[in-house]
Amino acid sequence: TGAIEWTKPALSKTTARLEWRTSPTGDNLLGSFGYARKLSRDWSLLSRTLWDQVMSSAMRGRSQVGLAWRQTDRNRVNALFRIENRLDQTDALGQPTSRTMSNVAAAVVNIQSTPRLTFSTRYAAKLASDRLDAVTTKSSAHLLMARTIYDVSKRLDVGFIGSVLGNGGFNSRRYGAGAELGVIVMRNLRLAGGYNLFGFTDRDFASLGYTQRGAYLEFGFKFDESLFGKGGAAQGASR
């Protein structure tokens, strides 16, 4: 196992990690790389990639690049725009070869209309292809999600979430709705427990929020310009 972190110049940060594991059932190679750069007082560039190779049987890859925007002076609106590529491939001996690739574009906008009330909207679209041996199937989907969070106190909040998943340009739709209770367990780290009365599942959109029916537990983390050693205090956790 090897890891490296580089924080110079002061406006950027780079991390890299490489792991090799061996066992009687097979070898595994895991690599990751991340890069963040502050472009201006309000804009930051973020990127990361992760590759997991199980020798001669499976491969998984995740790559993301995005732009984060935050009102440094007023700190009422922040947003994240990102593009993600996901690859899953299985080629086990004696089994059909399968390969799934998806490209996802997403936008998250948070608006703090009052000191206690925050609105969050999320939109994502994807193009995916699934191949089983020589047969390839293509698909597309869109996700819309809205969340309202009210701060009961400095550490406790309640939230309500609604979402809709559309396949093939919203010709087919599934809906989700639920509520949650959040607590700031430590600086910039929020823990939330919630329950969705009804919902749906799409693994390519999982990072945008929990949409399955039933109970869930979720962590949220927030960073600001202090990541680059510039001072500044984050207020609350990302939602």
Side-chain angles (χ1 to χ4, degrees):
T1 300
I4 187 171
E5 181 174 301
W6 182 256
T7 56
K8 292 184 179 181
L11 294 179
S12 66
K13 184 175 183 179
T14 305
T15 61
R17 187 177 185 89
L18 185 65
E19 295 184 10
W20 168 270
R21 300 178 182 178
T22 183
S23 69
T25 58
D27 299 330
N28 176 250
L29 179 64
L30 176 67
S32 65
F33 176 82
Y35 177 75
R37 182 174 181 84
K38 191 169 181 62
L39 303 176
S40 67
R41 297 186 70 241
D42 296 332
W43 289 93
S44 297
L45 172 69
L46 307 170
S47 64
R48 66 177 180 178
T49 185
L50 170 69
W51 290 91
D52 186 9
Q53 174 77 56
V54 180
M55 297 306 174
S56 70
S57 61
M59 180 176 66
R60 182 183 65 170
R62 303 286 186 270
S63 297
Q64 295 178 331
V65 60
L67 287 172
W69 178 69
R70 176 191 174 198
Q71 283 184 314
T72 303
D73 296 325
R74 301 182 64 190
N75 195 25
R76 292 184 58 187
V77 180
N78 63 79
L80 175 65
F81 311 94
R82 78 179 188 211
I83 298 175
E84 178 180 10
N85 174 267
R86 299 167 59 96
L87 171 66
D88 292 279
Q89 182 170 314
T90 303
D91 189 15
L93 184 63
Q95 300 294 326
T97 298
S98 65
R99 183 176 183 269
T100 299
M101 177 178 288
S102 59
N103 295 289
V104 180
V108 180
V109 180
N110 298 316
I111 302 173
Q112 188 173 9
S113 58
T114 70
R116 288 194 171 190
L117 189 62
T118 301
F119 297 99
S120 176
T121 59
R122 307 179 184 197
Y123 169 76
K126 75 167 182 176
L127 294 174
S129 64
D130 297 280
R131 188 182 71 191
L132 183 61
D133 282 344
V135 180
T136 300
T137 303
K138 295 185 178 181
S139 62
S140 64
H142 301 263
L143 174 70
L144 284 172
M145 182 180 294
R147 173 184 285 179
T148 301
I149 296 179
Y150 179 76
D151 292 334
V152 179
S153 66
K154 290 184 178 181
R155 296 177 58 87
L156 191 67
D157 62 67
V158 293
F160 301 93
I161 305 101
S163 56
V164 56
L165 175 69
N167 294 306
F170 286 101
N171 292 326
S172 173
R173 294 181 295 272
R174 287 179 286 173
Y175 299 91
E180 66 182 25
L181 180 67
V183 60
I184 304 299
V185 294
M186 60 183 295
R187 182 182 178 184
N188 301 335
L189 182 62
R190 176 179 180 263
L191 173 65
Y195 188 88
N196 289 324
L197 298 176
F198 49 92
F200 50 84
T201 301
D202 191 309
R203 65 176 184 175
D204 292 322
F205 294 142
S207 61
L208 292 169
Y210 192 87
T211 57
Q212 297 183 39
R213 179 183 177 183
Y216 65 89
L217 193 65
E218 186 178 68
F219 288 93
F221 181 76
K222 181 177 181 178
F223 75 91
D224 64 4
E225 61 271 12
S226 62
L227 172 70
F228 303 99
K230 294 295 182 181
Q235 299 178 3
S238 65
R239 297 160 175 175

